[in-house]
Amino acid sequence: HHHDAWEGMKITLAAPEHGEAALGLPALGGLFARGATPTLNDARIPNRCFLEAVFNLGFIRVEGSLHRINWRDMKTEELGSVYESLLEIRPSLAPNGEFVLDSGARGNARKTSGSYYTPDSLVETLLDSALDRVLEKAEANAETPENKAAAILDLRVIDPACGSGHFLLGAARRMADRVALWRNPDAGKEEKQAALRDVVSRCIHGTDRNPMAVELAKVALWIESVSPGQPLGFLDANIRCGDALLGVFELAALEEGIPDEAYKPLTGDSKEAAKYYGKLNKDAKKGQGQLDFHGGGGAMPPKKLAANLATIKRMPEDTVGQVEEKKRRFEAWRHDPARYATKVACDLYIAAFLLPKTEVPDARGRDMVPTTADVRRRLAGGTNYGPMEATAIDAAEAARPLHWPLAFPDIMIEGGGFDVVLGNPPWERIKLQEKEFFAGTDIGDAPNSAVRTRMIDALANAEVGTAEHALYTSFQVAKRIAEASSAFARVPASSGGRFGFTGTGDVNTYALFTEHFLNLARKTGRAGIIVPTGIATDATTAPFFAHLVNQSRIACMYDFENRERIFAEVYFRVRFCLLTLGDDIREAEFAFLLTDPSQLEDQRRRFKLQPSAIARINPNTKNAPVFRSQADAALVASIYSRIPVLMLEAAGVEGNPWGMSFMTMFHMSNDSHLFHTEGQLIASGYKREGSDWVSANDPTNIPRFKPLYEAKML
């Protein structure tokens, strides 16, 4: 029967959804549900080819002999490195219908996404300081073992830039081990697995702007937490795709209205149109008082949003049918008209930044850029100008904003934030890097930026429908999103901005993420983040670090040099730190210039400082003081407690008892022609008298040269 040539493949691929006794497969659903595999559902492939593919997945030939690939013992984290290497290749179909994987192709997404796979040792070290304290506190507040297990399951953990889920796996394992032991001190493998499944479905959350990362994180969590005889859990509500830094963070921002900064002209905008929409928005903000978020039609009140999602998340997941039902209810919740009104209002808010302001409309009511009036009308249940709203929603979807109160209302609105925020977010500038965008094309290989700009301008004239035209269009969109994201990040707190401290200078994502981590964590929670050490030492982030010091938010900061290549792809001189933030921390713990996490075990390398001591040591900037050891820190702290500061900038004349002023006398580079070494002076006939150098031929004996001390020599 020729149809049997296809049948085996069909049975095998359909089996994980509903189970297949003949193959000994239980029903898993989830990843294998029909709705999740549209490409495979009707795909057909002869059994022979299918068998060959399966064989190649299971065995590998090394020098002529067959070896079985041991998938069972592969650590789930290794998916992370698989993901990293997948980012480096682009699949495409060749004209002859062949499937090609090109690794030299343009836009090597890994290099262009600033993402680096975090080594285990760092993940574990961060979990020690950020997660364990929160777990211990939760257990301490509960009376009985059952309550202690329940208290851990009530904690909410998130990685807002989760990649393939490395931090989430580490956190889930630690939490599950404790849950299992509180439930039964002699817990075996099965009980630990059941606990892991509970932890993953209830406690673990993540977001990432890369859709493939989101899928991989789900797969990693499924592989890790699958329990015998149980279907794969429902993770769509926990792991969300979107840009954590772009989007509405608090619904109150909608009530305040769209910030005026949204209408500042960006590249390609017309000043006149920007001014027109800016004025329209200002007038709209004056016009209307408080929104009726709690009463009648229109948007769903925040509390109800939260309660509804919380109810869905508590639904059981013991059978494939229950998981499907949960998914159905979640989709219905997402598309509920009252919730949808809030989502569109949030999209309009963000689209005001994203949409080009190119022309003043010829008639009222035909505005193509949303203003506060449109946001309010949408929330109140009214309708907006159709073409404008459709364009705005499309623009928002292209940028993938994440609206936090809508993605996690049960946690953000009801719970007041997450208990633990963890991660290693991308360290990159928001500015679109042309070289990286065009990596792998002639433009990317241009010798300098002037040539590159000329080549990009030439692309602009490409014919519609050509690959060049498509490339140019995607470049324009990416550039617009980057510029608008930067404008969004720079909105001051007084206008409802999310990044009151770090949205300044050449905005870098790592600084924004640090402030974001702090805002995501609830008062009693902790945030642990891996970022460049600049967060504590740079001038642009100084106001933010001073805020952390003043508010006693720093729990610990461990600074590393990448000399031993902890991050293999990052330059060896780069310094980064594991920064853990909490609330009301009496003493912050520091360690500097480590090259390996194991050095933290040496107590001499770590030192504690109270916020007041940091403020005394660096009173003008409140930057983190860098010491190599506990002894150095203690010595300096004691000197500073006895001796007043030379000059306190904030205190004006009072703070400057010595009447000091600063000037730059010499620049090492600009004034290098004025400097001479001892050797040069001797060769020119000079001799030393005391610390001065005088010319042997000069009877007046006037010293011509004096020693120059750099600040660092004092």
Side-chain angles (χ1 to χ4, degrees):
H1 304 297
H2 78 264
H3 74 269
D4 289 353
W6 311 88
E7 213 48 30
M9 173 253 181
K10 211 166 127 203
I11 293 170
T12 312
L13 289 185
E17 181 178 23
H18 297 301
E20 175 56 67
L23 294 169
L25 275 176
L28 289 168
L31 177 65
F32 304 102
R34 265 191 87 74
T37 56
T39 322
L40 286 175
N41 291 340
D42 303 315
R44 296 174 63 122
I45 171 177
N47 284 344
R48 181 176 298 275
C49 301
F50 182 58
L51 256 169
E52 190 185 346
V54 173
F55 176 79
N56 284 327
L57 279 171
F59 294 90
I60 187 169
R61 268 184 207 285
V62 183
E63 294 165 3
S65 64
L66 262 189
H67 296 269
R68 164 168 276 178
I69 297 172
N70 180 2
W71 291 103
R72 194 188 62 189
D73 295 340
M74 172 177 148
K75 284 178 67 182
T76 318
E77 280 87 338
E78 292 179 36
L79 270 176
S81 41
V82 173
Y83 163 60
E84 296 294 337
S85 53
L86 282 176
L87 278 178
E88 290 176 5
I89 52 181
R90 295 186 92 101
S92 60
L93 274 177
N96 64 359
E98 282 207 3
F99 180 62
V100 195
L101 289 172
D102 183 6
S103 57
R106 165 186 101 69
N108 174 336
R110 168 103 190 278
K111 299 268 188 301
T112 53
S113 62
S115 58
Y116 299 104
Y117 181 62
T118 315
D120 265 347
S121 56
L122 292 180
V123 173
E124 295 301 324
T125 306
L126 195 61
L127 291 173
D128 290 343
S129 60
L131 177 70
D132 284 3
R133 295 292 168 81
V134 176
L135 299 181
E136 286 155 14
K137 206 152 124 193
E139 291 168 347
N141 292 337
E143 305 283 312
T144 63
E146 293 82 41
N147 291 359
K148 290 181 193 294
I152 292 178
L153 287 173
D154 278 341
L155 295 173
R156 300 292 173 258
V157 177
I158 190 167
D159 179 345
C162 66
S164 51
H166 199 163
F167 281 95
L168 298 180
L169 286 169
R173 285 193 196 112
R174 287 196 184 197
M175 295 171 80
D177 280 350
R178 294 173 101 127
V179 169
L181 291 173
W182 286 120
R183 285 176 176 172
N184 173 9
D186 309 316
K189 192 164 184 268
E190 280 197 12
E191 287 162 295
K192 285 191 173 164
Q193 205 52 26
L196 192 56
R197 194 166 183 273
D198 292 343
V199 166
V200 166
S201 73
R202 291 185 52 178
C203 312
I204 301 296
H205 301 77
T207 67
D208 199 285
R209 54 181 298 185
N210 183 325
M212 184 154 99
V214 169
E215 291 307 312
L216 255 156
K218 284 188 210 166
V219 171
L221 290 166
W222 273 327
I223 289 178
E224 195 63 21
S225 66
V226 68
S227 289
Q230 293 271 18
L232 298 177
F234 174 69
L235 294 176
D236 296 9
N238 296 31
I239 314 286
R240 309 295 295 265
C241 184
D243 184 337
L245 301 178
L246 183 68
V248 172
F249 190 69
E250 291 182 62
L251 292 178
L254 299 178
E255 299 200 35
E256 282 177 41
I258 299 172
D260 300 333
E261 286 78 5
Y263 304 96
K264 282 200 179 127
L266 304 176
T267 309
D269 286 346
S270 115
K271 282 210 171 73
E272 198 188 359
K275 204 166 142 191
Y276 164 82
Y277 283 114
K279 182 176 179 333
L280 212 58
N281 187 56
K282 274 198 174 84
D283 296 347
K285 280 201 285 197
K286 283 187 208 123
Q288 195 174 343
Q290 286 301 298
L291 280 169
D292 181 16
F293 240 149
H294 313 285
M300 194 183 280
K303 284 275 187 286
K304 191 158 162 35
L305 261 176
N308 291 357
L309 185 63
T311 309
I312 295 168
K313 279 187 172 175
R314 283 197 292 269
M315 289 170 67
E317 306 187 346
D318 299 326
T319 65
V320 169
Q322 287 179 339
V323 176
E324 287 295 308
E325 177 60 16
K326 194 168 185 175
K327 189 179 182 73
R328 199 186 59 67
R329 286 275 303 276
F330 176 66
E331 287 305 320
W333 175 82
R334 273 183 54 198
H335 296 104
D336 179 310
R339 177 194 176 277
Y340 187 70
T342 315
K343 178 203 171 286
V344 173
C346 291
D347 280 351
L348 292 172
Y349 183 100
I350 293 296
F353 289 87
L354 293 165
L355 284 174
K357 288 103 189 147
T358 47
E359 47 193 51
V360 176
D362 45 11
R364 284 305 315 234
R366 305 247 158 201
D367 300 323
M368 284 306 287
V369 177
T371 63
T372 297
D374 301 298
V375 171
R376 290 189 172 153
R377 199 176 303 119
R378 198 46 157 118
L379 286 172
T383 48
N384 288 321
Y385 178 48
M388 179 279 296
E389 190 162 281
T391 310
I393 292 171
D394 285 350
E397 300 211 322
R400 299 197 188 114
L402 190 83
H403 307 306
W404 285 89
L406 297 186
F408 305 106
D410 48 331
I411 299 164
M412 298 303 296
I413 296 168
E414 270 196 334
F418 287 85
D419 298 283
V420 183
V421 190
L422 291 166
N424 172 17
W427 313 339
E428 58 191 353
R429 287 185 302 180
I430 286 190
K431 265 212 301 241
L432 185 67
Q433 308 297 323
E434 290 175 1
K435 213 163 136 183
E436 289 173 5
F437 183 88
F438 289 107
T441 66
D442 300 346
I443 299 177
D445 302 334
N448 57 43
S449 75
V451 177
R452 202 162 43 241
T453 307
R454 271 209 305 281
M455 292 170 80
I456 295 171
D457 291 345
L459 267 192
N461 305 321
E463 267 182 61
V464 179
T466 60
E468 286 75 23
H469 181 262
L471 181 61
Y472 183 71
T473 314
S474 67
F475 173 64
Q476 292 303 101
V477 170
K479 189 170 172 170
R480 180 83 203 183
I481 290 174
E483 278 194 33
S485 300
S486 180
F488 176 76
R490 287 163 181 277
V491 175
S494 55
S495 310
R498 283 173 54 178
F499 306 102
F501 290 103
T502 55
T504 53
D506 205 351
V507 183
N508 192 303
T509 53
Y510 81 78
L512 299 177
F513 265 113
T514 311
E515 187 168 348
H516 177 55
F517 272 47
L518 184 70
N519 294 336
L520 271 180
R522 53 189 295 187
K523 256 307 197 204
T524 53
R526 285 221 162 177
I529 187 168
I530 301 183
V531 282
T533 302
I535 198 74
T537 54
D538 286 0
T540 45
T541 50
F544 176 57
F545 201 79
H547 166 73
L548 295 178
V549 172
N550 294 336
Q551 301 289 316
S552 308
R553 302 301 296 261
I554 300 165
C556 47
M557 179 184 159
Y558 303 137
D559 158 76
F560 289 84
E561 272 186 305
N562 200 34
R563 275 207 310 252
E564 305 289 320
R565 296 289 170 137
I566 301 178
F567 286 108
E569 293 85 1
V570 177
Y571 182 56
F572 75 96
R573 289 236 162 106
V574 168
R575 282 176 56 191
F576 62 89
C577 66
L578 274 54
L579 178 65
T580 303
L581 307 172
D583 185 52
D584 198 18
I585 307 247
R586 308 253 162 81
E587 279 192 314
E589 186 172 79
F590 294 90
F592 281 93
L593 304 165
L594 306 170
T595 53
D596 186 281
S598 61
Q599 293 162 341
L600 283 166
E601 287 162 27
D602 181 350
Q603 287 302 324
R604 294 169 303 178
R605 295 294 293 257
R606 293 151 60 166
F607 59 90
K608 289 195 159 128
L609 285 177
Q610 292 177 340
S612 55
I614 298 176
R616 266 202 308 275
I617 294 171
N618 284 339
N620 294 317
T621 59
K622 299 206 171 62
N623 274 354
V626 177
F627 300 113
R628 281 182 183 269
S629 69
Q630 173 74 48
D632 293 358
L635 177 65
V636 172
S638 81
I639 294 172
Y640 276 74
S641 63
R642 293 195 310 275
I643 297 168
V645 58
L646 190 61
M647 176 176 170
L648 189 62
E649 289 166 9
V653 181
E654 305 278 289
N656 188 4
W658 301 84
M660 307 248 313
S661 65
F662 292 96
M663 61 177 283
T664 305
M665 296 178 73
F666 297 109
H667 272 282
M668 291 305 291
S669 47
N670 300 354
D671 302 318
S672 53
H673 60 283
L674 301 173
F675 306 141
H676 298 273
T677 61
E678 288 198 9
Q680 288 167 334
L681 290 175
I682 291 166
S684 315
Y686 278 81
K687 62 179 199 291
R688 175 188 281 193
E689 292 201 354
S691 65
D692 292 339
W693 287 75
V694 289
S695 167
N697 315 327
D698 183 356
T700 60
N701 230 5
I702 297 173
R704 294 284 173 215
F705 284 90
K706 288 185 172 292
L708 177 76
Y709 293 102
E710 281 185 75
K712 67 181 179 215
M713 295 176 174
L714 298 180

